[in-house]
Amino acid sequence: MPHEFDLTEPELTADDLLVLEDPHFGPETTAVVTGAASGIGQATAVALAANGLSVVGADIDDDGLTETVDLADDIAVPGTIHPVTTDLTDDADVEAMIEVAADQGELRYVANIAGMQHIASIPEFPMEKYDFIVDIMLRAPFLTAKLAMPHIRATDDGVGAIANMSSVHGHYATQDKPAYITAKHGLEGLTRAIAAEGEGTLRGFSVSVGYVLTPLMVNQIEDTADERGISKREVVEDVMLGQARTKEMMTPAEVANLFVFGFSGHAKHLNGGDMLWDGGYTTTYE
């Protein structure tokens, strides 16, 4: 953890973003990014636009989507972001999101990033919260893939990818996050199922990271502190970063860059696999 214990989400700049040369990275190609109003989703939408793509940024938060578009304008990305208000629990909204993307050009890429968290033990976990989390983080990505795959296959070469935002919690479990952990483990299975049906050119991959400095994470720090009866500093230093070897949180831009690389032709052998970028959480312990 940085010595100053700063929990402010870092400001995104053009220098933070990975820009690659790729034959499919241009305005004729569209990408869908869910959860695009804040955090990792916002950074990924801007990063893909920085690579020249036409991006459909989907979220239920209209004000946040406006901030995403303004951010892209502020750093003068060459691509465009088309904000689409989307309730991922509404099948008609998901269908409309995909149709808007297909109307913008050749739909080749999907980043299923939208997520939420609720901190409670299994006996105390509200079932309505469980259902909502699984709907947002597992059912909606399945439906999005179901609707997007025919469009990707209809391109001239069938090249594209569907990427799912997983987590270290898609690899192991910690206490008091049962719905989130269930959804993330399910996303790993969905990723492999996409790869199995993708004929090699339509790829599925996931991105797993540790703790990222987003608004969702700041709220989780407070909730975990309350649930465990410890300070926010102890949550960060002992619970969140205690097992990691890299003693700082990732930034949203660093995660967004993994999606950019994963979508590019440099990652053509990344299929069904997980980009585990976790600072040693799941591979080392004391």
Side-chain angles (χ1 to χ4, degrees):
M1 183 66 195
H3 295 302
E4 68 271 17
F5 193 66
D6 184 5
L7 293 180
T8 304
E9 185 176 357
E11 181 179 351
L12 183 69
T13 69
D15 290 339
D16 296 324
L17 301 176
L18 177 67
V19 176
L20 298 172
E21 292 290 332
D22 188 277
H24 295 304
F25 282 9
E28 72 286 348
T29 298
T30 61
V32 171
V33 179
T34 68
S38 66
I40 295 169
Q42 181 178 77
T44 301
V46 175
L48 292 172
N51 280 273
L53 279 76
S54 297
V55 180
V56 167
D59 206 291
I60 201 167
D61 179 2
D62 286 328
D63 291 340
L65 287 176
T66 298
E67 292 175 5
T68 302
V69 173
D70 290 344
L71 176 58
D73 289 342
D74 288 344
I75 63 175
V77 299
T80 55
I81 296 178
H82 307 275
V84 178
T85 305
T86 307
D87 178 353
L88 291 173
T89 68
D90 185 325
D91 288 4
D93 270 18
V94 177
E95 291 171 7
M97 173 187 76
I98 294 298
E99 288 306 313
V100 170
D103 288 343
Q104 294 295 329
E106 292 187 329
L107 173 56
R108 292 184 182 271
Y109 306 117
V110 173
N112 287 308
I113 296 177
M116 61 173 297
Q117 183 62 274
H118 184 79
I119 306 297
S121 67
I122 294 173
E124 301 299 324
F125 211 93
M127 284 310 300
E128 65 272 15
K129 285 286 187 183
Y130 176 90
D131 291 340
F132 186 58
I133 288 173
V134 173
D135 276 354
I136 293 288
M137 294 172 55
L138 189 54
R139 187 182 186 281
F142 183 95
L143 178 58
T144 301
K146 169 185 170 68
L147 297 171
M149 287 175 74
H151 291 287
I152 298 172
R153 287 177 170 143
T155 60
D156 59 349
D157 56 7
V159 169
I162 297 173
N164 298 311
M165 185 74 239
S166 188
S167 167
V168 293
H169 290 102
H171 294 259
Y172 67 10
T174 56
Q175 66 188 49
D176 299 328
K177 301 177 185 177
Y180 187 88
I181 288 162
T182 298
K184 293 302 188 185
H185 275 74
L187 277 176
E188 296 289 344
L190 174 60
T191 296
R192 294 165 189 161
I194 292 167
E197 297 186 17
E199 297 90 34
T201 55
L202 194 172
R203 296 179 293 114
F205 69 91
S206 57
V207 173
S208 289
V209 298
Y211 292 92
V212 184
L213 199 49
T214 66
L216 176 68
M217 186 56 56
V218 173
N219 292 336
Q220 184 178 326
I221 291 167
E222 295 172 353
D223 291 346
T224 301
D226 291 341
E227 180 76 12
R228 299 196 184 191
I230 58 179
S231 70
K232 289 188 287 186
R233 177 182 289 275
E234 288 172 313
V235 171
V236 174
E237 294 182 347
D238 299 335
V239 178
M240 291 183 169
L241 297 180
Q243 190 168 309
R245 294 301 180 262
T246 305
K247 295 298 183 181
E248 61 183 74
M249 291 189 184
M250 288 184 74
T251 67
E254 289 174 321
V255 185
N257 290 338
L258 299 179
F259 284 95
V260 170
F261 176 79
F263 286 144
S264 77
H266 296 287
K268 65 182 178 181
H269 293 287
L270 175 63
N271 199 10
D274 179 63
M275 298 180 75
L276 179 60
W277 225 258
D278 70 347
Y281 276 101
T282 60
T283 53
T284 62
Y285 70 95
E286 295 178 341

Coordinates of all heavy atoms in Angstrom, one line a residue, residues 191-283:
T191 N -16.3 -18.5 -20.0 CA -15.1 -18.2 -20.9 C -14.7 -19.4 -21.7 O -14.4 -19.3 -22.9 CB -14.0 -17.6 -20.0 OG1 -14.4 -16.4 -19.4 CG2 -12.7 -17.4 -20.9
R192 N -14.6 -20.5 -21.0 CA -14.1 -21.7 -21.6 C -15.2 -22.2 -22.6 O -14.8 -22.8 -23.7 CB -13.8 -22.8 -20.6 CG -12.6 -22.4 -19.7 CD -12.5 -23.2 -18.5 NE -11.4 -22.6 -17.6 CZ -11.3 -22.8 -16.3 NH1 -12.2 -23.6 -15.7 NH2 -10.4 -22.2 -15.6
A193 N -16.4 -22.1 -22.3 CA -17.5 -22.5 -23.2 C -17.5 -21.7 -24.5 O -17.7 -22.2 -25.6 CB -18.9 -22.4 -22.5
I194 N -17.2 -20.4 -24.4 CA -17.1 -19.5 -25.6 C -16.0 -20.0 -26.4 O -16.1 -20.1 -27.6 CB -16.9 -18.1 -25.2 CG1 -18.2 -17.5 -24.5 CG2 -16.6 -17.2 -26.4 CD1 -18.0 -16.2 -23.8
A195 N -14.8 -20.3 -25.8 CA -13.7 -20.8 -26.5 C -14.0 -22.1 -27.2 O -13.5 -22.3 -28.4 CB -12.5 -20.9 -25.6
A196 N -14.7 -23.0 -26.6 CA -15.0 -24.3 -27.1 C -15.8 -24.2 -28.4 O -15.7 -25.0 -29.3 CB -15.7 -25.1 -26.1
E197 N -16.7 -23.1 -28.5 CA -17.6 -23.0 -29.6 C -17.1 -21.9 -30.6 O -17.8 -21.7 -31.6 CB -19.0 -22.6 -29.1 CG -19.6 -23.7 -28.2 CD -21.0 -23.3 -27.8 OE1 -21.6 -22.5 -28.5 OE2 -21.5 -24.0 -26.9
G198 N -15.9 -21.3 -30.4 CA -15.5 -20.2 -31.2 C -14.7 -20.4 -32.4 O -14.3 -19.5 -33.1
E199 N -14.5 -21.7 -32.8 CA -13.8 -22.1 -34.0 C -12.4 -21.5 -34.1 O -11.9 -21.4 -35.2 CB -14.6 -21.7 -35.3 CG -16.0 -22.3 -35.4 CD -17.1 -21.5 -34.7 OE1 -17.1 -20.3 -34.7 OE2 -18.0 -22.2 -34.2
G200 N -11.9 -21.0 -33.0 CA -10.5 -20.6 -33.0 C -10.3 -19.1 -33.3 O -9.4 -18.4 -32.8
T201 N -11.2 -18.5 -34.2 CA -11.0 -17.1 -34.5 C -11.9 -16.2 -33.6 O -11.5 -15.1 -33.3 CB -11.4 -16.8 -35.9 OG1 -12.8 -17.3 -36.2 CG2 -10.5 -17.5 -36.9
L202 N -13.0 -16.8 -33.1 CA -13.8 -16.1 -32.1 C -13.3 -16.6 -30.7 O -13.6 -17.8 -30.4 CB -15.3 -16.4 -32.3 CG -16.3 -15.5 -31.6 CD1 -17.7 -15.9 -32.1 CD2 -16.3 -15.7 -30.1
R203 N -12.6 -15.8 -30.0 CA -12.0 -16.2 -28.8 C -12.7 -15.8 -27.6 O -13.5 -14.8 -27.6 CB -10.5 -15.7 -28.7 CG -9.6 -16.1 -29.8 CD -8.2 -15.5 -29.6 NE -8.2 -14.1 -29.9 CZ -7.9 -13.2 -29.0 NH1 -7.7 -13.5 -27.7 NH2 -7.9 -11.9 -29.3
G204 N -12.6 -16.6 -26.5 CA -13.0 -16.2 -25.2 C -11.9 -16.1 -24.2 O -11.0 -17.0 -24.3
F205 N -11.8 -15.1 -23.4 CA -10.8 -15.0 -22.4 C -11.3 -14.2 -21.2 O -12.3 -13.5 -21.3 CB -9.5 -14.4 -22.9 CG -9.5 -13.0 -23.2 CD1 -9.2 -12.0 -22.3 CD2 -9.8 -12.5 -24.5 CE1 -9.2 -10.6 -22.6 CE2 -9.8 -11.2 -24.9 CZ -9.5 -10.2 -23.9
S206 N -10.6 -14.4 -20.1 CA -11.0 -13.6 -18.9 C -9.8 -12.9 -18.4 O -8.7 -13.2 -18.7 CB -11.6 -14.6 -17.8 OG -10.7 -15.6 -17.5
V207 N -10.1 -11.9 -17.5 CA -9.1 -11.1 -16.9 C -9.3 -11.2 -15.4 O -10.4 -10.9 -14.9 CB -9.1 -9.6 -17.4 CG1 -8.1 -8.8 -16.6 CG2 -8.8 -9.5 -18.9
S208 N -8.2 -11.6 -14.7 CA -8.3 -11.7 -13.2 C -7.3 -10.9 -12.6 O -6.1 -11.0 -12.9 CB -8.1 -13.2 -12.8 OG -9.2 -14.0 -13.1
V209 N -7.7 -10.0 -11.7 CA -6.8 -9.1 -11.0 C -7.1 -9.1 -9.5 O -8.1 -9.7 -9.1 CB -6.9 -7.7 -11.5 CG1 -6.5 -7.6 -13.0 CG2 -8.3 -7.1 -11.4
G210 N -6.2 -8.6 -8.8 CA -6.5 -8.4 -7.3 C -7.3 -7.2 -7.1 O -8.4 -7.0 -7.7
Y211 N -6.9 -6.4 -6.1 CA -7.7 -5.2 -5.8 C -7.4 -4.0 -6.6 O -6.2 -3.7 -6.7 CB -7.6 -5.0 -4.3 CG -8.2 -6.1 -3.4 CD1 -7.4 -7.2 -3.0 CD2 -9.5 -6.1 -3.1 CE1 -8.0 -8.2 -2.3 CE2 -10.1 -7.1 -2.4 CZ -9.3 -8.1 -2.0 OH -9.9 -9.2 -1.2
V212 N -8.4 -3.4 -7.1 CA -8.2 -2.3 -8.0 C -8.8 -1.0 -7.4 O -9.9 -1.1 -6.8 CB -8.9 -2.5 -9.4 CG1 -8.6 -1.4 -10.4 CG2 -8.3 -3.8 -10.0
L213 N -8.2 0.1 -7.5 CA -8.6 1.3 -6.8 C -9.8 1.9 -7.6 O -9.6 2.8 -8.5 CB -7.5 2.3 -6.7 CG -7.6 3.4 -5.6 CD1 -8.1 2.8 -4.3 CD2 -6.3 4.1 -5.5
T214 N -11.0 1.5 -7.4 CA -12.2 2.0 -8.0 C -13.2 2.4 -6.9 O -13.0 2.1 -5.8 CB -12.9 0.9 -8.9 OG1 -13.3 -0.2 -7.9 CG2 -11.9 0.3 -9.9
P215 N -14.3 3.1 -7.3 CA -15.3 3.5 -6.3 C -15.9 2.2 -5.6 O -16.2 2.2 -4.4 CB -16.3 4.2 -7.2 CG -15.6 4.8 -8.3 CD -14.5 3.8 -8.6
L216 N -16.1 1.1 -6.4 CA -16.6 -0.1 -5.8 C -15.7 -0.6 -4.7 O -16.1 -1.1 -3.7 CB -16.7 -1.2 -6.9 CG -17.2 -2.6 -6.5 CD1 -18.6 -2.5 -6.0 CD2 -17.0 -3.6 -7.6
M217 N -14.4 -0.5 -5.0 CA -13.4 -1.0 -4.0 C -13.4 -0.1 -2.7 O -13.3 -0.7 -1.6 CB -12.0 -1.0 -4.6 CG -11.0 -1.6 -3.7 SD -11.4 -3.3 -3.2 CE -11.6 -4.1 -4.8
V218 N -13.5 1.2 -2.9 CA -13.5 2.0 -1.7 C -14.7 1.7 -0.8 O -14.6 1.6 0.4 CB -13.5 3.5 -2.1 CG1 -13.7 4.4 -0.9 CG2 -12.2 3.9 -2.8
N219 N -15.9 1.5 -1.4 CA -17.1 1.1 -0.7 C -16.8 -0.3 0.0 O -17.3 -0.5 1.1 CB -18.3 1.0 -1.6 CG -18.7 2.4 -2.1 OD1 -18.4 3.4 -1.5 ND2 -19.4 2.4 -3.2
Q220 N -16.2 -1.2 -0.7 CA -15.9 -2.5 -0.1 C -15.0 -2.5 1.1 O -15.2 -3.2 2.0 CB -15.3 -3.4 -1.2 CG -15.1 -4.9 -0.7 CD -14.6 -5.7 -1.9 OE1 -14.8 -5.5 -3.0 NE2 -13.8 -6.7 -1.5
I221 N -14.0 -1.6 1.0 CA -13.1 -1.4 2.2 C -13.9 -1.0 3.4 O -13.8 -1.5 4.5 CB -12.1 -0.3 1.9 CG1 -11.1 -0.9 0.8 CG2 -11.3 0.1 3.1 CD1 -10.2 0.2 0.2
E222 N -14.9 0.0 3.3 CA -15.7 0.4 4.4 C -16.6 -0.7 4.9 O -16.7 -0.9 6.1 CB -16.5 1.6 3.9 CG -15.6 2.8 3.6 CD -16.5 4.0 3.0 OE1 -17.7 3.8 2.7 OE2 -15.9 5.1 2.8
D223 N -17.2 -1.5 4.0 CA -18.1 -2.5 4.4 C -17.3 -3.6 5.1 O -17.8 -4.2 6.1 CB -18.8 -3.1 3.2 CG -19.8 -2.1 2.6 OD1 -20.2 -1.1 3.2 OD2 -20.3 -2.4 1.4
T224 N -16.2 -4.0 4.6 CA -15.4 -5.0 5.2 C -14.9 -4.6 6.6 O -14.9 -5.4 7.5 CB -14.2 -5.4 4.3 OG1 -14.6 -5.8 3.0 CG2 -13.3 -6.5 4.9
A225 N -14.5 -3.4 6.7 CA -14.1 -2.8 8.0 C -15.3 -3.0 9.0 O -15.1 -3.4 10.2 CB -13.7 -1.4 7.9
D226 N -16.5 -2.7 8.6 CA -17.6 -2.8 9.5 C -17.9 -4.3 9.8 O -18.2 -4.6 11.0 CB -18.9 -2.1 8.8 CG -18.8 -0.6 8.8 OD1 -17.9 -0.1 9.5 OD2 -19.5 0.0 7.9
E227 N -17.9 -5.1 8.8 CA -18.2 -6.5 9.0 C -17.2 -7.2 9.9 O -17.6 -8.1 10.7 CB -18.2 -7.2 7.6 CG -18.5 -8.7 7.7 CD -20.0 -9.0 7.8 OE1 -20.8 -8.1 7.7 OE2 -20.3 -10.2 8.1
R228 N -15.9 -6.9 9.8 CA -14.9 -7.5 10.6 C -14.5 -6.8 11.9 O -13.7 -7.3 12.7 CB -13.7 -7.8 9.8 CG -14.0 -8.7 8.6 CD -12.7 -9.2 7.9 NE -13.0 -10.0 6.7 CZ -12.1 -10.7 6.1 NH1 -10.8 -10.8 6.6 NH2 -12.4 -11.4 5.0
G229 N -15.0 -5.6 12.0 CA -14.7 -4.8 13.2 C -13.3 -4.3 13.3 O -12.6 -4.3 14.4
I230 N -12.7 -4.0 12.1 CA -11.3 -3.5 12.1 C -11.3 -2.2 11.3 O -12.3 -1.7 10.8 CB -10.4 -4.5 11.4 CG1 -10.9 -4.8 10.0 CG2 -10.3 -5.8 12.2 CD1 -10.0 -5.8 9.2
S231 N -10.1 -1.5 11.3 CA -10.0 -0.3 10.6 C -9.9 -0.4 9.1 O -9.5 -1.5 8.6 CB -8.8 0.5 11.2 OG -7.6 -0.1 10.7
K232 N -10.1 0.6 8.4 CA -10.0 0.6 6.9 C -8.5 0.3 6.6 O -8.2 -0.4 5.6 CB -10.5 1.9 6.3 CG -12.0 2.1 6.4 CD -12.5 3.2 5.6 CE -12.1 4.6 6.3 NZ -12.7 5.7 5.5
R233 N -7.6 0.9 7.3 CA -6.2 0.6 7.0 C -5.9 -0.9 7.2 O -5.2 -1.5 6.4 CB -5.3 1.4 8.0 CG -3.8 1.2 7.8 CD -2.9 1.9 8.8 NE -2.9 3.4 8.4 CZ -2.1 3.9 7.5 NH1 -1.3 3.2 6.9 NH2 -2.2 5.2 7.3
E234 N -6.4 -1.5 8.2 CA -6.2 -2.9 8.4 C -6.8 -3.7 7.3 O -6.2 -4.8 6.9 CB -6.7 -3.4 9.8 CG -5.9 -2.9 11.0 CD -6.6 -3.2 12.3 OE1 -7.8 -2.9 12.4 OE2 -5.9 -3.7 13.2
V235 N -8.0 -3.3 6.8 CA -8.6 -4.0 5.7 C -7.6 -4.0 4.5 O -7.4 -5.0 3.8 CB -9.9 -3.3 5.3 CG1 -10.5 -3.9 4.0 CG2 -11.0 -3.5 6.4
V236 N -7.1 -2.8 4.2 CA -6.2 -2.7 3.0 C -4.9 -3.5 3.2 O -4.5 -4.3 2.4 CB -6.0 -1.2 2.7 CG1 -4.9 -1.1 1.5 CG2 -7.2 -0.5 2.3
E237 N -4.3 -3.2 4.3 CA -2.9 -3.7 4.5 C -2.9 -5.2 4.9 O -2.0 -5.9 4.5 CB -2.2 -2.9 5.5 CG -1.9 -1.5 5.1 CD -1.2 -0.7 6.1 OE1 -1.0 -1.1 7.3 OE2 -0.7 0.5 5.8
D238 N -3.9 -5.7 5.6 CA -3.9 -7.0 6.1 C -4.8 -7.9 5.3 O -4.4 -9.1 4.9 CB -4.3 -7.1 7.6 CG -3.3 -6.3 8.5 OD1 -2.1 -6.1 8.1 OD2 -3.7 -5.8 9.5
V239 N -6.0 -7.5 5.0 CA -7.0 -8.4 4.3 C -6.7 -8.3 2.8 O -6.6 -9.4 2.2 CB -8.4 -7.9 4.7 CG1 -9.4 -8.8 3.9 CG2 -8.7 -8.0 6.2
M240 N -6.6 -7.1 2.2 CA -6.6 -7.0 0.8 C -5.2 -7.3 0.3 O -5.0 -8.0 -0.7 CB -7.1 -5.7 0.3 CG -8.6 -5.5 0.6 SD -9.2 -4.0 -0.1 CE -11.0 -4.2 0.0
L241 N -4.2 -6.6 0.9 CA -2.8 -6.7 0.3 C -1.9 -7.6 1.1 O -0.7 -7.8 0.8 CB -2.2 -5.3 0.2 CG -2.9 -4.3 -0.7 CD1 -2.2 -3.0 -0.7 CD2 -2.9 -4.9 -2.1
G242 N -2.5 -8.3 2.2 CA -1.6 -9.1 3.1 C -1.0 -10.2 2.3 O 0.2 -10.6 2.6
Q243 N -1.7 -10.9 1.4 CA -1.1 -12.0 0.7 C -0.4 -11.7 -0.6 O 0.4 -12.5 -1.1 CB -2.3 -13.0 0.4 CG -1.8 -14.4 -0.1 CD -2.9 -15.4 -0.1 OE1 -3.6 -15.6 0.8 NE2 -3.1 -16.0 -1.3
A244 N -0.6 -10.5 -1.1 CA 0.0 -10.1 -2.3 C 1.5 -9.8 -2.1 O 1.9 -9.3 -1.1 CB -0.7 -8.8 -2.9
R245 N 2.3 -10.0 -3.2 CA 3.7 -9.6 -3.1 C 3.9 -8.2 -3.7 O 4.9 -7.5 -3.3 CB 4.5 -10.6 -4.0 CG 4.5 -12.0 -3.3 CD 5.1 -12.0 -1.9 NE 5.1 -13.3 -1.3 CZ 4.1 -13.7 -0.5 NH1 3.1 -13.0 -0.2 NH2 4.2 -14.9 0.1
T246 N 3.0 -7.7 -4.5 CA 3.1 -6.3 -5.0 C 2.2 -5.5 -4.1 O 0.9 -5.7 -4.1 CB 2.5 -6.2 -6.5 OG1 3.3 -7.2 -7.3 CG2 2.7 -4.8 -7.0
K247 N 2.8 -4.7 -3.3 CA 2.1 -4.0 -2.2 C 1.4 -2.7 -2.6 O 1.6 -1.6 -2.0 CB 3.0 -3.8 -1.0 CG 3.5 -5.1 -0.4 CD 2.3 -5.9 0.2 CE 2.8 -7.2 0.9 NZ 1.7 -8.0 1.4
E248 N 0.7 -2.7 -3.7 CA -0.2 -1.6 -4.1 C -1.3 -2.1 -4.9 O -1.2 -3.1 -5.6 CB 0.7 -0.5 -4.8 CG 1.3 -1.0 -6.1 CD 2.1 0.0 -6.8 OE1 3.2 0.3 -6.3 OE2 1.7 0.6 -7.8
M249 N -2.4 -1.3 -4.9 CA -3.5 -1.7 -5.7 C -3.3 -1.3 -7.2 O -2.5 -0.4 -7.5 CB -4.8 -1.0 -5.2 CG -5.3 -1.4 -3.9 SD -6.9 -0.7 -3.5 CE -7.1 -1.3 -1.9
M250 N -3.9 -2.1 -8.1 CA -3.8 -1.7 -9.5 C -4.7 -0.5 -9.8 O -5.6 -0.2 -9.0 CB -4.3 -2.9 -10.4 CG -3.4 -4.1 -10.4 SD -3.9 -5.4 -11.5 CE -3.6 -4.7 -13.1
T251 N -4.5 0.1 -10.9 CA -5.3 1.2 -11.3 C -6.3 0.7 -12.4 O -6.0 -0.3 -13.1 CB -4.5 2.4 -11.9 OG1 -3.9 1.9 -13.1 CG2 -3.4 2.8 -10.9
P252 N -7.4 1.4 -12.6 CA -8.3 0.9 -13.7 C -7.6 0.9 -15.0 O -7.9 0.0 -15.9 CB -9.4 2.0 -13.6 CG -9.5 2.4 -12.2 CD -8.0 2.4 -11.8
A253 N -6.7 1.9 -15.3 CA -6.1 1.9 -16.6 C -5.2 0.6 -16.8 O -5.1 0.1 -17.9 CB -5.2 3.1 -16.8
E254 N -4.6 0.2 -15.8 CA -3.7 -1.0 -15.9 C -4.6 -2.2 -16.3 O -4.1 -3.1 -17.0 CB -2.9 -1.3 -14.6 CG -1.8 -0.3 -14.4 CD -1.2 -0.4 -13.0 OE1 -1.9 -0.7 -12.0 OE2 0.0 -0.2 -12.9
V255 N -5.8 -2.3 -15.7 CA -6.7 -3.4 -16.1 C -7.2 -3.2 -17.5 O -7.3 -4.2 -18.3 CB -7.8 -3.5 -15.1 CG1 -8.7 -4.8 -15.4 CG2 -7.3 -3.6 -13.6
A256 N -7.6 -2.0 -17.9 CA -8.1 -1.7 -19.2 C -7.0 -2.2 -20.3 O -7.4 -2.7 -21.3 CB -8.4 -0.3 -19.3
N257 N -5.8 -1.9 -20.0 CA -4.7 -2.3 -21.0 C -4.7 -3.8 -21.2 O -4.3 -4.3 -22.3 CB -3.4 -1.8 -20.5 CG -3.3 -0.3 -20.5 OD1 -4.0 0.4 -21.3 ND2 -2.4 0.3 -19.8
L258 N -5.1 -4.6 -20.2 CA -5.1 -6.1 -20.4 C -6.2 -6.4 -21.4 O -6.0 -7.3 -22.2 CB -5.3 -6.8 -19.1 CG -4.3 -6.5 -18.0 CD1 -4.7 -7.3 -16.7 CD2 -2.9 -7.0 -18.5
F259 N -7.3 -5.7 -21.4 CA -8.4 -6.0 -22.3 C -7.9 -5.6 -23.7 O -8.2 -6.3 -24.7 CB -9.7 -5.2 -22.0 CG -10.4 -5.9 -20.8 CD1 -10.2 -5.5 -19.5 CD2 -11.3 -6.9 -21.1 CE1 -11.0 -6.1 -18.5 CE2 -12.0 -7.5 -20.1 CZ -11.8 -7.1 -18.8
V260 N -7.2 -4.4 -23.8 CA -6.7 -4.0 -25.2 C -5.8 -5.1 -25.7 O -5.9 -5.5 -26.9 CB -6.0 -2.7 -25.0 CG1 -5.2 -2.3 -26.3 CG2 -7.0 -1.5 -24.7
F261 N -4.8 -5.5 -24.9 CA -3.9 -6.6 -25.4 C -4.7 -7.8 -25.8 O -4.4 -8.5 -26.8 CB -2.8 -6.9 -24.4 CG -1.9 -8.0 -24.8 CD1 -0.9 -7.8 -25.6 CD2 -2.1 -9.2 -24.2 CE1 0.0 -8.8 -26.0 CE2 -1.3 -10.3 -24.6 CZ -0.2 -10.1 -25.5
G262 N -5.6 -8.2 -24.9 CA -6.3 -9.5 -25.1 C -7.2 -9.5 -26.4 O -7.3 -10.5 -27.0
F263 N -7.7 -8.3 -26.8 CA -8.5 -8.2 -28.0 C -7.6 -8.2 -29.2 O -8.0 -8.5 -30.3 CB -9.3 -7.0 -28.0 CG -10.5 -7.0 -27.0 CD1 -11.0 -5.9 -26.3 CD2 -11.2 -8.2 -26.9 CE1 -12.1 -6.0 -25.5 CE2 -12.4 -8.3 -26.1 CZ -12.8 -7.2 -25.4
S264 N -6.4 -7.8 -29.1 CA -5.5 -7.6 -30.2 C -5.0 -8.9 -30.8 O -5.1 -10.0 -30.2 CB -4.3 -6.7 -29.8 OG -3.3 -7.5 -29.1
G265 N -4.5 -8.8 -32.0 CA -3.9 -10.0 -32.7 C -2.7 -10.5 -32.0 O -2.3 -11.7 -32.2
H266 N -2.1 -9.7 -31.1 CA -0.9 -10.2 -30.3 C -1.4 -11.4 -29.4 O -0.5 -12.2 -28.9 CB -0.3 -9.1 -29.5 CG 0.3 -8.0 -30.3 ND1 1.5 -8.1 -31.0 CD2 -0.2 -6.8 -30.5 CE1 1.7 -7.0 -31.6 NE2 0.8 -6.1 -31.3
A267 N -2.6 -11.4 -29.1 CA -3.2 -12.4 -28.1 C -4.0 -13.5 -28.8 O -4.8 -14.1 -28.2 CB -4.0 -11.7 -27.1
K268 N -3.6 -13.8 -30.0 CA -4.5 -14.8 -30.8 C -4.5 -16.2 -30.2 O -5.4 -17.0 -30.5 CB -4.1 -14.8 -32.3 CG -2.7 -15.4 -32.5 CD -2.3 -15.3 -34.0 CE -0.9 -15.8 -34.2 NZ -0.6 -15.8 -35.7
H269 N -3.5 -16.5 -29.4 CA -3.4 -17.8 -28.7 C -4.1 -17.8 -27.3 O -4.1 -18.8 -26.6 CB -2.0 -18.3 -28.6 CG -1.4 -18.7 -30.0 ND1 -1.8 -19.8 -30.7 CD2 -0.5 -18.0 -30.7 CE1 -1.2 -19.8 -31.8 NE2 -0.4 -18.7 -31.9
L270 N -4.5 -16.6 -26.9 CA -5.3 -16.5 -25.6 C -6.7 -16.9 -25.9 O -7.5 -16.1 -26.4 CB -5.2 -15.1 -25.1 CG -6.0 -14.8 -23.8 CD1 -5.5 -15.6 -22.6 CD2 -5.9 -13.3 -23.5
N271 N -7.1 -18.1 -25.6 CA -8.4 -18.6 -25.9 C -8.9 -19.6 -24.9 O -8.3 -20.7 -24.8 CB -8.4 -19.3 -27.3 CG -9.8 -19.4 -27.9 OD1 -10.7 -18.9 -27.4 ND2 -9.9 -20.1 -29.0
G272 N -9.8 -19.2 -24.1 CA -10.3 -20.0 -23.0 C -9.5 -19.8 -21.7 O -9.8 -20.3 -20.7
G273 N -8.4 -19.0 -21.9 CA -7.5 -18.8 -20.7 C -7.9 -17.5 -19.9 O -8.7 -16.7 -20.3
D274 N -7.2 -17.4 -18.8 CA -7.4 -16.3 -17.9 C -6.1 -15.5 -17.8 O -5.0 -16.1 -17.6 CB -7.8 -16.8 -16.6 CG -8.0 -15.7 -15.5 OD1 -8.9 -14.9 -15.7 OD2 -7.2 -15.7 -14.5
M275 N -6.2 -14.2 -18.0 CA -5.0 -13.3 -17.7 C -5.0 -13.0 -16.3 O -5.6 -12.1 -15.8 CB -5.2 -12.0 -18.6 CG -5.2 -12.3 -20.1 SD -5.4 -10.8 -21.1 CE -3.7 -10.1 -20.9
L276 N -4.1 -13.7 -15.5 CA -4.0 -13.6 -14.1 C -3.0 -12.6 -13.8 O -1.8 -12.8 -13.9 CB -3.7 -14.9 -13.5 CG -3.6 -15.0 -11.9 CD1 -4.8 -14.5 -11.2 CD2 -3.2 -16.4 -11.5
W277 N -3.4 -11.4 -13.3 CA -2.5 -10.3 -13.0 C -2.7 -9.8 -11.6 O -3.4 -8.8 -11.4 CB -2.8 -9.1 -14.0 CG -1.7 -8.4 -14.7 CD1 -1.2 -7.2 -14.4 CD2 -1.0 -8.9 -15.9 NE1 -0.2 -6.9 -15.2 CE2 -0.1 -7.9 -16.2 CE3 -1.1 -10.0 -16.7 CZ2 0.8 -8.0 -17.3 CZ3 -0.2 -10.1 -17.7 CH2 0.7 -9.1 -18.0
D278 N -2.2 -10.6 -10.7 CA -2.7 -10.5 -9.3 C -1.7 -10.2 -8.3 O -1.9 -10.2 -7.1 CB -3.5 -11.7 -8.9 CG -2.6 -12.9 -8.7 OD1 -1.4 -12.9 -9.1 OD2 -3.1 -13.9 -8.1
G279 N -0.5 -9.9 -8.7 CA 0.6 -9.5 -7.8 C 1.0 -10.6 -6.8 O 1.6 -10.4 -5.8
G280 N 0.6 -11.9 -7.2 CA 1.0 -13.0 -6.4 C 0.0 -13.5 -5.4 O 0.3 -14.4 -4.6
Y281 N -1.2 -13.0 -5.4 CA -2.3 -13.4 -4.5 C -2.5 -14.9 -4.5 O -2.5 -15.5 -3.5 CB -3.6 -12.8 -4.9 CG -3.9 -11.4 -4.4 CD1 -3.7 -10.3 -5.2 CD2 -4.3 -11.1 -3.1 CE1 -3.9 -9.0 -4.7 CE2 -4.5 -9.9 -2.6 CZ -4.3 -8.8 -3.4 OH -4.5 -7.5 -3.0
T282 N -2.7 -15.4 -5.7 CA -3.2 -16.8 -5.8 C -2.0 -17.8 -6.0 O -2.3 -19.0 -6.0 CB -4.2 -17.0 -6.9 OG1 -3.6 -16.6 -8.2 CG2 -5.4 -16.1 -6.7
T283 N -0.8 -17.3 -6.2 CA 0.3 -18.2 -6.5 C 1.3 -18.3 -5.4 O 2.3 -19.1 -5.5 CB 1.0 -17.8 -7.8 OG1 1.4 -16.4 -7.7 CG2 0.1 -17.9 -9.0

